[in-house]
Amino acid sequence: MKLMLKVRLSWFFFIFLAIYLGSTFIVKGAVFTPAALTLFSINSFLYGFYISPILSVQKQRIDDLSRSIRAEANAIFDILIKTKRLPRRSRNIMQDMCEDYLSASFAQRKPAEGEDEYERLITYCLNYSGHAPEIIDKILEKLVANQQNRSALAMQLGNKVYSNEWWIMLVLFSITLGFVLFLNIQHDSLIMHFVKALLCTGLSMLMINLLKLSTLTHKKAKNIWDPLDKLKTSRFRRID
């Protein structure tokens, strides 16, 4: 599965096209009855009707994730800027805790795993009794305000396509694909063989697109983690 997710969509297109083009010459076609063609039409409609909104939701999910991740990076960056006005020891402690939080939260791209580290940041601010307490109060306000964004980020990361949705789509996809593959055409009609292969490829690409969107391996999701990665690799000096 991991290897498949690393393959580019353009490669999938040509692989599927070659497979289906060969299959159209190998699979023996059948002449469908009017009842079978009616079932094919209904199934095709249901497949498109079901997969279209799920694709839209997953695309919107990536956009929402991008905004939430950037807001998270901005919040941490703002907190670290505020620590510049703290005593050196307090500043180093805050920076170390922020680094621990980022490592725990985003090493596996699961912010919920950094909950303990985030709570330690809040607890440190609540128990702070050193110099410049007004700066700590501002940092605490920022940490509390960022909790809502963290909740939205965790929710969007978990908003994948559910297994029952995959089963429904696979059933509808398999039936639609089967009807197209077994559709009888003349063996000497190369254009129709190519059209049939293209149609099967398009149906398969919809499923691959959805899989990549759901697992955040789509090109659209390629750069959503850049603000946090840049923040960490630059030692909290840059976001972009």
Side-chain angles (χ1 to χ4, degrees):
M1 176 64 77
K2 290 183 179 180
L3 179 61
M4 186 175 71
L5 293 175
K6 292 180 180 179
V7 179
R8 296 180 61 181
L9 285 171
S10 55
W11 283 102
F12 272 115
F13 177 84
F14 292 111
I15 291 171
F16 282 137
L17 184 60
I19 292 173
Y20 289 130
L21 190 58
S23 299
T24 59
F25 290 99
I26 296 173
V27 176
K28 187 177 180 181
V31 178
F32 296 124
T33 63
L37 291 174
T38 301
L39 286 175
F40 172 58
S41 299
I42 295 173
N43 184 84
S44 299
F45 170 77
L46 288 175
Y47 177 62
F49 180 79
Y50 196 80
I51 197 173
S52 293
I54 297 178
L55 277 169
S56 298
V57 168
Q58 290 301 312
K59 288 179 180 178
Q60 184 61 45
R61 170 187 174 228
I62 292 176
D63 292 335
D64 293 340
L65 275 171
S66 182
R67 284 190 290 268
S68 295
I69 290 170
R70 181 167 292 278
E72 176 84 356
N74 285 330
I76 299 299
F77 188 63
D78 186 43
I79 288 169
L80 290 166
I81 288 177
K82 287 181 171 63
T83 62
K84 298 295 184 182
R85 297 171 60 187
L86 292 173
R88 180 180 295 275
R89 182 173 180 276
S90 300
R91 181 172 69 247
N92 291 339
I93 291 174
M94 288 291 295
Q95 289 179 350
D96 289 342
M97 286 195 293
C98 285
E99 186 172 4
D100 291 342
Y101 165 66
L102 287 178
S103 298
S105 296
F106 300 103
Q108 300 298 323
R109 310 307 195 194
K110 296 177 180 178
E113 292 188 358
E115 190 65 33
D116 292 339
E117 286 75 12
Y118 202 83
E119 288 296 329
R120 276 199 287 271
L121 274 167
I122 295 176
T123 301
Y124 179 81
C125 292
L126 289 172
N127 297 332
Y128 184 79
S129 58
H131 296 289
E134 68 280 0
I135 302 300
I136 290 293
D137 289 340
K138 292 180 180 179
I139 291 175
L140 182 59
E141 290 177 5
K142 193 70 176 181
L143 287 169
V144 173
N146 189 50
Q147 281 284 37
Q148 184 177 359
N149 181 67
R150 293 184 68 248
S151 298
L153 180 55
M155 182 184 69
Q156 289 298 335
L157 280 173
N159 190 23
K160 301 178 180 180
V161 180
Y162 294 108
S163 57
N164 63 307
E165 294 175 319
W166 278 117
W167 280 114
I168 294 171
M169 284 184 291
L170 282 171
V171 169
L172 296 174
F173 163 73
S174 300
I175 294 173
T176 304
L177 186 69
F179 266 106
V180 176
L181 275 177
F182 284 98
L183 185 65
N184 186 40
I185 59 174
Q186 297 296 325
H187 281 284
D188 57 351
S189 180
L190 297 178
I191 294 178
M192 290 304 297
H193 279 288
F194 188 71
V195 170
K196 190 162 77 167
L198 277 176
L199 182 56
C200 292
T201 300
L203 291 169
S204 302
M205 289 299 292
L206 282 175
M207 296 295 288
I208 295 297
N209 263 288
L210 184 57
L211 177 63
K212 282 184 167 288
L213 287 170
S214 179
T215 55
L216 300 178
T217 55
H218 194 277
K219 185 178 181 179
K220 184 178 176 66
K222 182 179 179 180
N223 299 319
I224 62 173
W225 300 101
D226 284 358
L228 286 168
D229 290 337
K230 179 63 70 174
L231 183 64
K232 189 175 180 181
T233 56
S234 67
R235 296 294 299 167
F236 309 113
R237 291 181 174 86
R238 293 178 57 192
I239 296 177
D240 289 320

